[in-house]
Every structure is written in structure tokens, then in C-alpha cells.
Amino acid sequence: KPAAPFAINQIVHKSNDRLDHDMAMCEKYKVPVVITSLGAREDVNQAVHSWGGVVMHDVINNKFANKAIEKGADGLIAVAAGAGGHAGTTSPFALIQEIRQWFTGPLALSGSIAHGRSILAARAMGADFAYIGSAFIATEEARAVEAYKQMIVDSNSADIIYSSKFTGVHGNYLRPSIVNAGLDPV
């Protein structure tokens, strides 16, 4: 018996050519929580709801938060400044406050959350829970290569580069990772 629900992440942008296959697998296994990003989609939300699942959607600002809820997302993940990967630049204080002015549903905060004090801060700001990602890359259980894990541990906020150069969508990347790939971090 599962101890808790599990979730999967789905990039729902039209460039994801695996979306149909991945959604079929989600339906087959009745994934209880689907986290969507890079475009709110009514069809994806309806599909998840058809098997009783819940959709949490990544948002980087209040405009995208409104769109996600209008298109049927059940909850939001506020991806604030400092989050790894495709992230926003808005302060978590401002982002949570703006969303909470109109949204009372499930709200998570993502961005620079790596320990219990950050989780407490997220809750104090008005988020229902914190969403932690990068900190888990350095764990023993993660399948990342050891050099990458060490880079995560050794890096700090000064190593973060915010750029759209790599995927066409703005995101946060670690300078050592960019340099190790032989790319110009500027």
C-alpha cells in the first residue's frame, strides 16, 4: 500500500513530443497528482480529472496563475526567484501575496527551499507547502553523476545564471554546469 500519493511532472508545451505517450501512462497508472508546466492546458487538466487525479500547475507570476486556474488546474506551484530550471524572477514574498489575494486553493512555493527553515517561511508567507527539487539531486538515492551532485553542493546563489539561451524559455542554470558543457555562461 502506498504511504502517500506520488506525483509526476509533465511539460505540456507543444514542443513536448512525448506528451501523448506520457499522459497515456499517467492514465494507465492513475497518477494521483500531475504537475504541469510551460502552458496551462484544459485538455490535460480534463484528462487528469477523468481518472480522479489532481493538477498542480507551475506559475512564475500572477497572470499565469490566473490562466492556470481558469483552464482547470486544481492548485498552483509558485516558482519564485531562485528556483532551479524554468523559473521566474519574482520575490516569493510578492508572488505568494499576489496569488493569495484571490486564490484559496492548494498553493506551493518553489525556489531556494533546501531545509526546514525555508519550509516554515513558505508556510508563514501563506503557501500550503513547499516544493523542493534541486536539494534532492545531491542525495544518495538520486541517479545523477557524482560530479554533478558535488557541483550542486558546492554552488551558491552567485553561481546562478538566468537565461533563455539554452531552451528558449528563461530559466536558472548553474554556471559550473554551463562551463562543463563547453558553453559560454554569459
Side-chain angles (χ1 to χ4, degrees), residues 32-110:
V33 180
V34 176
I35 299 163
T36 57
S37 62
L38 296 178
R41 296 201 20 198
E42 287 181 75
D43 60 326
V44 171
N45 295 338
Q46 289 170 357
V48 174
H49 293 151
S50 74
W51 68 75
V54 172
V55 177
M56 297 288 293
H57 189 72
D58 285 355
V59 297
I60 62 169
N61 59 39
N62 201 31
K63 174 184 162 187
F64 292 146
N66 273 286
K67 280 186 178 182
I69 297 303
E70 287 171 8
K71 292 189 176 193
D74 302 293
L76 302 168
I77 300 170
V79 185
H86 296 114
T89 58
T90 305
S91 157
F93 294 100
L95 188 55
I96 293 295
Q97 180 178 325
E98 289 172 4
I99 293 170
R100 275 297 184 220
Q101 287 177 349
W102 61 272
F103 183 65
T104 59
L107 178 59
L109 177 62
S110 174

Side-chain angles (χ1 to χ4, degrees), residues 42-186:
E42 287 181 75
D43 60 326
V44 171
N45 295 338
Q46 289 170 357
V48 174
H49 293 151
S50 74
W51 68 75
V54 172
V55 177
M56 297 288 293
H57 189 72
D58 285 355
V59 297
I60 62 169
N61 59 39
N62 201 31
K63 174 184 162 187
F64 292 146
N66 273 286
K67 280 186 178 182
I69 297 303
E70 287 171 8
K71 292 189 176 193
D74 302 293
L76 302 168
I77 300 170
V79 185
H86 296 114
T89 58
T90 305
S91 157
F93 294 100
L95 188 55
I96 293 295
Q97 180 178 325
E98 289 172 4
I99 293 170
R100 275 297 184 220
Q101 287 177 349
W102 61 272
F103 183 65
T104 59
L107 178 59
L109 177 62
S110 174
S112 299
I113 298 172
H115 50 67
R117 292 183 309 274
S118 299
I119 296 169
L120 179 62
R123 298 274 297 131
M125 278 187 253
D128 295 303
F129 49 97
Y131 187 79
I132 303 169
S134 298
F136 289 108
I137 295 171
T139 64
E140 184 178 320
E141 295 82 4
R143 294 183 179 176
V145 298
E146 289 305 316
Y148 186 69
K149 290 180 180 187
Q150 193 59 51
M151 182 198 64
I152 296 279
V153 171
D154 293 342
S155 295
N156 62 44
S157 61
D159 294 313
I160 297 172
I161 306 272
Y162 187 69
S163 175
S164 64
K165 181 177 177 179
F166 308 108
T167 66
V169 177
H170 275 90
N172 285 324
Y173 304 90
L174 289 175
R175 178 183 302 277
S177 186
I178 297 167
V179 171
N180 290 342
L183 301 172
D184 182 5
V186 182

